[in-house]
């Protein structure tokens, strides 16, 4: 998409409207993740602003949105304690950003191309399930948990499922009414009536839901005080009232800790985990993109690195591309990366100018938006589609879903990747060559022709070796590499070892277009 397309009237309108929805989703998530991380509340908001404006402008991703990530909460929580405070941790965030920029220049982003499609789809489906399970308590008014918390096991010893069950013992009627009305509106917003209405279809349902939620609570305050939604059930941005409170917002890295080895350990941990989460996210967003545009992974690592350098310098949490924000962005109809930038500007305006107005928004309204986003990520049709693709696609997919649901994002992805790689190995084990055998009537011996496939890699080594070992005695074998463009050293080693000792089984072997050497590109 060109600069002219990005700033076209139609795209700017779509991006501005979708940025409002992303902003409404990101606002409580920034606060909730900061709270769950044991960091100052403003650090989450700073990360959201930097992720939107700085990363948004530098990134070449069209639809992903960056900010503080729930997947880093455990790392941040322990690192702040290990480094003796938040300012030491900010130094680690700054260094992590420098490492990410270096990874971008080293072209480490290519790792993102190796995530199997079933694992990416499983990750999206799992996050959809987690959103639903985590947001139902907020929808019904039980807000004891941080809004952005995504871990299965929680600090109080409960877990996602037990917390969900216990939440029904703590229903707050005012929040429940707002939540159910919000859900009803969002479901209705997907109807044909709205889609066919020229005015309504251009307005994201999330904006209407928040406005209605604020209005309902205003009526509660005026006419039904017992149902009034206050306190923990509302968005809660700290209000900057004077210069002293403004000074407390920005914290700076403690450069005196540059000699502390733990700072570097934390920095490398943050850089690797944040980079993996970012690459996973942009790969997932590219799959959801209606136009199927591709994000340059190395450019994304550089953009994220600069974002973390800025965040570390002014008191923000570490930043990654975030699937929840990106999914909400796509669902709201964003056209370009300007939606992410506008959402960052809105966060800045909300914090600096209108915190009191933002604090009028019930969390139940925002929970309804996230539940609908979650459902669209984990639709039953997705599971049916993956099942129809066969075991090789469905097993890694469902394994990833279950593993993420009951652990966390990165552990779940690693488990899903392991299962996916098993099926890749199995597939490669089966198809490294074409095997044809003919019986010679006069001698009763076999004439066997083995034609190697286009690419023969180390993954084919086991299959090739077992095939050669089980060739019948006294057979004549032709091993033909005419179709091969590349044959790895491992496969060549198996072939030449067999040629050397084939006479012991009275086997004659003829090699056609089989090169000598390590990994070889074959020119016929």
């Amino acid at each position: 998409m060109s600069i002219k397309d990005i700033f076209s009237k139609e795209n700017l309108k779509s991006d501005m409207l979708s940025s409002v929805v992303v902003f409404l989703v990101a606002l409580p998530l920034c606060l909730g993740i900061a709270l769950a991380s044991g960091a100052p509340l403003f650090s989450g908001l700073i990360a959201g602003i930097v992720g939107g404006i700085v990363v948004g402008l530098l990134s070449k991703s069209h639809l992903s949105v960056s900010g503080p990530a729930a997947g880093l909460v455990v790392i941040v929580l322990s690192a702040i304690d290990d480094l003796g405070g938040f300012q030491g941790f900010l130094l680690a965030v700054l260094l992590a950003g420098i490492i990410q920029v270096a990874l971008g220049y080293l072209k480490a982003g290519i790792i993102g191309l190796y995530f199997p499609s079933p694992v990416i789809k499983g990750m999206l489906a799992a996050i959809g399930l987690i959103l639903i399970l985590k947001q139902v308590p907020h929808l019904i008014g039980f807000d004891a948990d941080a809004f952005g918390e995504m871990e299965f096991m929680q600090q109080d010893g409960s877990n996602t499922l037990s917390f969900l069950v216990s939440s029904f013992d703590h229903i707050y009627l005012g929040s429940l009414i707002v939540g159910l009305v919000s859900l009803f509106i969002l479901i209705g917003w997907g109807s044909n009536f709205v889609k066919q209405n020229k005015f309504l279809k251009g307005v994201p349902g999330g904006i209407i839901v928040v406005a209605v939620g604020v209005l309902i609570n205003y009526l509660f305050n005026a006419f039904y005080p017992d149902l009034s939604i206050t306190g923990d059930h509302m968005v809660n941005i700290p209000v900057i009232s004077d210069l002293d409170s403004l000074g407390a917002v920005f914290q700076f890295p403690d450069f005196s800790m540059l000699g502390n080895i733990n700072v570097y350990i934390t920095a490398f941990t943050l850089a690797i985990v944040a980079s993996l989460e970012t690459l996973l996210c942009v790969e997932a967003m590219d799959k959801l993109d209606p136009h199927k545009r591709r994000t340059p992974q190395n450019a994304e690592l550089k953009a994220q690195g600069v974002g973390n350098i800025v965040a570390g310098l002014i008191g923000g949490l570490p930043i990654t591309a975030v699937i929840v924000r990106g999914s909400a962005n796509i669902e709201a109809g964003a056209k370009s990366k300007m939606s992410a930038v506008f959402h960052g500007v809105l966060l800045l305006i909300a914090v600096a100018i209108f915190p009191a107005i933002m604090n009028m928004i019930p969390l139940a309204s925002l929970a309804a938006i996230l539940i609908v986003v979650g459902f669209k990520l984990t639709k039953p049709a997705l599971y049916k589609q993956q099942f129809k693709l066969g075991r090789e696609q469905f097993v890694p997919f469902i394994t990833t879903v279950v593993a993420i649901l009951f652990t966390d994002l990165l552990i779940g992805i690693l488990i899903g990747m392991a299962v996916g790689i098993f099926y890749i190995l199995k597939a490669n084990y089966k198809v490294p060559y074409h095997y044809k055998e003919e019986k010679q009537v006069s001698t009763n011996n076999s004439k066997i022709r083995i034609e190697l496939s286009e690419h023969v890699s180390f993954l084919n080594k086991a299959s090739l070796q077992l095939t050669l070992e089980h060739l019948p005695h006294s057979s004549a074998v032709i091993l033909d590499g005419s179709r091969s463009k590349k044959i790895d050293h491992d496969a060549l080693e198996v072939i030449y070892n067999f040629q050397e000792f084939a006479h012991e089984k009275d086997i004659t072997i003829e090699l056609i277009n089989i090169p000598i050497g390590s990994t070889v590109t074959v020119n016929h």
Side-chain angles (χ1 to χ4, degrees):
M1 184 177 286
S2 66
I3 297 295
K4 183 179 179 181
D5 290 332
I6 289 174
F7 289 101
S8 68
K9 184 177 179 181
E10 181 184 352
N11 286 347
L12 278 176
K13 179 184 175 183
S14 297
D15 289 336
M16 285 180 177
L17 288 171
S18 59
S19 72
V20 177
V21 177
V22 181
F23 155 71
L24 292 171
V25 168
L27 181 63
L29 289 178
C30 289
L31 293 166
I33 290 168
L35 183 64
S37 302
L41 286 180
F42 271 114
S43 66
L45 294 168
I46 289 170
I49 293 166
V50 172
I53 299 174
V54 177
V55 178
L57 288 171
L58 295 176
S59 173
K60 294 184 179 180
S61 175
H62 297 280
L63 296 174
S64 69
V65 183
S66 297
L72 296 177
V73 165
V74 175
I75 297 173
V76 174
L77 191 63
S78 61
I80 292 174
D81 185 53
D82 292 342
L83 298 176
F86 189 62
Q87 291 182 318
F89 174 73
L90 290 177
L91 179 61
V93 175
L94 167 62
L95 295 174
I98 294 172
I99 294 167
Q100 283 186 292
V101 173
L103 289 173
Y105 279 106
L106 292 172
K107 302 189 184 304
I110 196 172
I111 294 170
L113 298 176
Y114 289 93
F115 296 123
S117 180
V119 174
I120 297 294
K121 291 178 180 177
M123 175 184 68
L124 288 170
I127 288 174
L129 283 174
I130 292 170
L131 279 177
I132 294 169
L133 295 173
K134 290 288 190 181
Q135 295 306 316
V136 166
H138 294 292
L139 186 85
I140 64 178
F142 186 44
D143 298 293
D145 213 356
F147 196 84
E149 204 274 329
M150 297 283 281
E151 299 285 326
F152 180 72
M153 293 303 301
Q154 299 173 189
Q155 294 180 34
D156 61 1
S158 64
N159 60 55
T160 299
L161 298 179
S162 64
F163 187 82
L164 175 64
V165 172
S166 66
S167 68
F168 287 95
D169 295 328
H170 302 84
I171 295 174
Y172 185 75
L173 187 56
S175 292
L176 177 63
I177 292 171
V178 168
L180 292 178
V181 170
S182 299
L183 271 182
F184 179 78
I185 291 172
L186 289 169
I187 293 168
W189 223 252
S191 67
N192 289 330
F193 172 77
V194 172
K195 290 177 181 177
Q196 293 169 4
N197 186 291
K198 188 175 180 181
F199 173 74
L200 292 178
K201 73 176 182 179
V203 181
I207 297 175
I208 304 300
V209 158
V210 169
V212 169
V214 172
L215 175 61
I216 291 174
N217 196 40
Y218 174 81
L219 295 175
F220 284 164
N221 285 322
F223 302 106
Y224 305 99
D226 290 343
L227 297 177
S228 179
I229 306 172
T230 58
D232 291 340
H233 305 304
M234 307 287 284
V235 170
N236 187 16
I237 303 177
V239 178
I240 302 172
S241 56
D242 52 37
L243 288 177
D244 289 336
S245 58
L246 178 63
V249 169
F250 297 103
Q251 297 195 44
F252 307 101
D254 182 0
F255 288 101
S256 69
M257 295 190 69
L258 279 171
N260 188 331
I261 187 64
N262 289 327
V263 170
Y264 297 95
I265 294 172
T266 300
F268 273 100
T269 303
L270 287 172
I272 298 302
V273 175
S275 297
L276 285 174
E277 287 208 16
T278 290
L279 293 173
L280 283 162
C281 176
V282 295
E283 187 71 18
M285 292 305 101
D286 288 348
K287 287 187 181 299
L288 294 177
D289 183 356
H291 302 287
K292 302 303 176 188
R293 293 164 291 189
R294 297 292 304 171
T295 299
Q297 290 93 343
N298 296 314
E300 188 64 26
L301 288 181
K302 295 173 189 175
Q304 296 290 333
V306 173
N308 276 316
I309 290 171
V310 175
L313 283 171
I314 61 175
L317 288 174
I319 295 166
T320 74
V322 184
I323 289 173
V324 176
R325 291 174 174 83
S327 301
N329 195 34
I330 292 171
E331 174 60 26
K335 302 292 185 184
S336 78
K337 68 178 186 176
M338 291 310 297
S339 176
V341 177
F342 292 150
H343 117 278
V345 173
L346 288 173
L347 280 173
L348 179 60
I349 292 171
V351 171
I353 304 174
F354 301 119
I357 295 175
M358 294 300 106
N359 289 343
M360 295 168 65
I361 301 173
L363 289 179
S365 295
L366 303 178
I369 297 173
L370 288 174
I371 287 172
V372 172
V373 169
F375 178 76
K376 292 186 176 180
L377 288 175
T378 192
K379 284 182 176 179
L382 174 62
Y383 294 82
K384 292 178 183 177
Q385 180 190 51
Q386 290 299 117
F387 184 77
K388 287 179 180 178
L389 291 174
R391 182 185 300 174
E392 291 78 7
Q393 294 289 311
F394 183 72
V395 174
F397 165 79
I398 201 67
T399 300
T400 304
V401 172
V402 174
I404 292 176
L405 186 61
F406 289 101
T407 57
D408 60 32
L409 182 63
L410 283 178
I411 293 175
I413 285 290
L414 291 174
I415 293 171
M417 284 286 290
V419 175
I421 289 170
F422 167 78
Y423 278 99
I424 292 171
L425 290 171
K426 186 178 178 183
N428 276 275
Y429 175 80
K430 289 181 177 179
V431 290
Y433 51 79
H434 175 70
Y435 183 99
K436 183 179 180 182
E437 181 176 354
E438 296 178 357
K439 283 285 185 182
Q440 303 294 312
V441 178
S442 58
T443 61
N444 202 33
N445 291 334
S446 296
K447 183 178 180 180
I448 298 167
R449 187 178 188 87
I450 299 174
E451 294 182 356
L452 299 180
S453 60
E454 190 173 4
H455 296 284
V456 184
S457 74
F458 73 95
L459 297 173
N460 307 129
K461 176 180 177 180
S463 177
L464 187 60
Q465 181 149 348
L466 287 173
T467 298
L468 294 176
E469 285 178 358
H470 289 88
L471 288 172
H473 283 260
S474 304
S475 56
V477 179
I478 297 174
L479 194 60
D480 189 353
S482 300
R483 296 172 54 203
S484 300
K485 292 184 178 178
K486 191 166 95 171
I487 305 175
D488 275 4
H489 171 76
D490 298 77
L492 291 172
E493 190 176 65
V494 168
I495 292 168
Y496 283 107
N497 283 343
F498 175 76
Q499 183 189 40
E500 185 176 352
F501 297 102
H503 66 276
E504 295 180 1
K505 297 175 68 175
D506 195 24
I507 294 174
T508 61
I509 182 166
E510 178 185 356
L511 303 183
I512 300 176
N513 287 316
I514 303 294
I516 298 174
S518 57
T519 303
V520 175
T521 300
V522 184
N523 296 308
H524 300 311

